[in-house]
Amino acid sequence: MDIRIGHGFDVHALAEGLRLVLCGVEIEHTKGCVAHSDGDVAIHAICDALLGALALGDIGKLFPDTDAKYKGIDSRRLLKEVVDIVTDKGYSISNIDCTIAMQRPKLRPHIDLMRERLSEVIGIPADRISVKATTTERLGFEGREEGVSATAVTILIKA
Ligand code: MG
């Protein structure tokens, strides 16, 4: 059995008046992520964890932000493409654990819907997908509400 672990990390700046989309869920807020895509920082971290597990680079390499076709794209489409690559290589996704760091708004009410949305795209049960949220106690760029960061880890198994 071949077991791979992958880690992903992403950051986006926040700006007034933009949509805030996390794990495919649009969240009511005054600020959203500055990005070429929809700025779904959590999905980007998950994509990088999946790609990292197979040493395939990162989403910036796969989906360059210089390519107009990715402008404003729903990051779930990018995630689906990454999942297809993993599957094509013969691996199955055992689990994913993602942590989002942002000061406001409170993400807890949205966590279960985020897990469901990810489950729909990834094709594994929601009880294998963990999404957690933390503030940074007002420290750093997340704490000053200048940006959002996300980390993710995953285990892939090839039977
Ligand atoms: Mg990103």
Side-chain angles (χ1 to χ4, degrees), residues 10-12 35 37 39-41 44-45 59:
D10 195 28
V11 171
H12 281 265
S37 67
D40 195 326
V41 62
H44 297 174
I59 54 169

PDB file of all heavy atoms in Angstrom, residues 10-12 35 37 39-41 44-45 59, ligand 1:
ATOM      1  N   ASP A  10      -2.336  28.735   1.814  1.00  0.00           N
ATOM      2  CA  ASP A  10      -2.627  29.852   0.916  1.00  0.00           C
ATOM      3  C   ASP A  10      -3.045  31.082   1.717  1.00  0.00           C
ATOM      4  O   ASP A  10      -3.538  30.960   2.849  1.00  0.00           O
ATOM      5  CB  ASP A  10      -3.742  29.482  -0.072  1.00  0.00           C
ATOM      6  CG  ASP A  10      -3.819  30.449  -1.251  1.00  0.00           C
ATOM      7  OD1 ASP A  10      -2.787  31.048  -1.612  1.00  0.00           O
ATOM      8  OD2 ASP A  10      -4.915  30.631  -1.804  1.00  0.00           O
ATOM      9  N   VAL A  11      -2.821  32.224   1.117  1.00  0.00           N
ATOM     10  CA  VAL A  11      -3.186  33.512   1.724  1.00  0.00           C
ATOM     11  C   VAL A  11      -3.819  34.385   0.659  1.00  0.00           C
ATOM     12  O   VAL A  11      -3.365  34.383  -0.493  1.00  0.00           O
ATOM     13  CB  VAL A  11      -1.923  34.244   2.268  1.00  0.00           C
ATOM     14  CG1 VAL A  11      -2.258  35.662   2.696  1.00  0.00           C
ATOM     15  CG2 VAL A  11      -1.290  33.484   3.418  1.00  0.00           C
ATOM     16  N   HIS A  12      -4.867  35.096   1.007  1.00  0.00           N
ATOM     17  CA  HIS A  12      -5.387  36.161   0.138  1.00  0.00           C
ATOM     18  C   HIS A  12      -5.624  37.415   0.963  1.00  0.00           C
ATOM     19  O   HIS A  12      -6.023  37.331   2.129  1.00  0.00           O
ATOM     20  CB  HIS A  12      -6.702  35.746  -0.539  1.00  0.00           C
ATOM     21  CG  HIS A  12      -6.489  34.847  -1.716  1.00  0.00           C
ATOM     22  ND1 HIS A  12      -6.406  35.306  -3.007  1.00  0.00           N
ATOM     23  CD2 HIS A  12      -6.294  33.512  -1.779  1.00  0.00           C
ATOM     24  CE1 HIS A  12      -6.194  34.282  -3.828  1.00  0.00           C
ATOM     25  NE2 HIS A  12      -6.119  33.181  -3.100  1.00  0.00           N
ATOM     26  N   ALA A  35      -8.462  38.400  -5.632  1.00  0.00           N
ATOM     27  CA  ALA A  35      -7.949  37.226  -6.337  1.00  0.00           C
ATOM     28  C   ALA A  35      -8.279  37.289  -7.815  1.00  0.00           C
ATOM     29  O   ALA A  35      -9.177  38.017  -8.236  1.00  0.00           O
ATOM     30  CB  ALA A  35      -8.561  35.958  -5.756  1.00  0.00           C
ATOM     31  N   SER A  37      -9.159  34.367  -9.258  1.00  0.00           N
ATOM     32  CA  SER A  37     -10.311  33.452  -9.206  1.00  0.00           C
ATOM     33  C   SER A  37     -11.346  34.041  -8.253  1.00  0.00           C
ATOM     34  O   SER A  37     -11.310  35.236  -7.954  1.00  0.00           O
ATOM     35  CB  SER A  37      -9.846  32.091  -8.691  1.00  0.00           C
ATOM     36  OG  SER A  37      -9.442  32.201  -7.337  1.00  0.00           O
ATOM     37  N   GLY A  39     -11.237  33.549  -5.249  1.00  0.00           N
ATOM     38  CA  GLY A  39     -10.492  33.820  -4.018  1.00  0.00           C
ATOM     39  C   GLY A  39     -10.782  32.860  -2.878  1.00  0.00           C
ATOM     40  O   GLY A  39     -10.600  33.215  -1.711  1.00  0.00           O
ATOM     41  N   ASP A  40     -11.211  31.649  -3.217  1.00  0.00           N
ATOM     42  CA  ASP A  40     -11.543  30.672  -2.173  1.00  0.00           C
ATOM     43  C   ASP A  40     -10.259  30.081  -1.603  1.00  0.00           C
ATOM     44  O   ASP A  40      -9.773  29.023  -2.023  1.00  0.00           O
ATOM     45  CB  ASP A  40     -12.453  29.577  -2.759  1.00  0.00           C
ATOM     46  CG  ASP A  40     -13.132  28.745  -1.688  1.00  0.00           C
ATOM     47  OD1 ASP A  40     -12.504  28.527  -0.628  1.00  0.00           O
ATOM     48  OD2 ASP A  40     -14.272  28.312  -1.927  1.00  0.00           O
ATOM     49  N   VAL A  41      -9.720  30.787  -0.625  1.00  0.00           N
ATOM     50  CA  VAL A  41      -8.410  30.474  -0.060  1.00  0.00           C
ATOM     51  C   VAL A  41      -8.362  29.065   0.534  1.00  0.00           C
ATOM     52  O   VAL A  41      -7.328  28.380   0.462  1.00  0.00           O
ATOM     53  CB  VAL A  41      -8.033  31.582   0.966  1.00  0.00           C
ATOM     54  CG1 VAL A  41      -9.017  31.617   2.119  1.00  0.00           C
ATOM     55  CG2 VAL A  41      -6.628  31.455   1.479  1.00  0.00           C
ATOM     56  N   HIS A  44      -8.097  26.563  -2.262  1.00  0.00           N
ATOM     57  CA  HIS A  44      -6.747  26.629  -2.831  1.00  0.00           C
ATOM     58  C   HIS A  44      -5.754  25.842  -1.964  1.00  0.00           C
ATOM     59  O   HIS A  44      -4.885  25.133  -2.488  1.00  0.00           O
ATOM     60  CB  HIS A  44      -6.280  28.081  -2.981  1.00  0.00           C
ATOM     61  CG  HIS A  44      -7.130  28.872  -3.923  1.00  0.00           C
ATOM     62  ND1 HIS A  44      -6.972  30.219  -4.120  1.00  0.00           N
ATOM     63  CD2 HIS A  44      -8.165  28.503  -4.719  1.00  0.00           C
ATOM     64  CE1 HIS A  44      -7.872  30.649  -5.000  1.00  0.00           C
ATOM     65  NE2 HIS A  44      -8.609  29.615  -5.366  1.00  0.00           N
ATOM     66  N   ALA A  45      -5.881  25.963  -0.649  1.00  0.00           N
ATOM     67  CA  ALA A  45      -4.995  25.204   0.250  1.00  0.00           C
ATOM     68  C   ALA A  45      -5.235  23.703   0.094  1.00  0.00           C
ATOM     69  O   ALA A  45      -4.286  22.907   0.084  1.00  0.00           O
ATOM     70  CB  ALA A  45      -5.214  25.643   1.698  1.00  0.00           C
ATOM     71  N   ILE A  59      -1.317  24.854  -7.448  1.00  0.00           N
ATOM     72  CA  ILE A  59      -2.376  25.308  -8.358  1.00  0.00           C
ATOM     73  C   ILE A  59      -1.929  26.480  -9.222  1.00  0.00           C
ATOM     74  O   ILE A  59      -2.458  26.659 -10.308  1.00  0.00           O
ATOM     75  CB  ILE A  59      -3.721  25.635  -7.651  1.00  0.00           C
ATOM     76  CG1 ILE A  59      -3.558  26.621  -6.517  1.00  0.00           C
ATOM     77  CG2 ILE A  59      -4.449  24.408  -7.221  1.00  0.00           C
ATOM     78  CD1 ILE A  59      -4.915  27.126  -6.018  1.00  0.00           C
TER      79      ILE A  59
HETATM   80 MG    MG B   1      -5.082  31.335  -3.745  1.00  0.00          MG
END
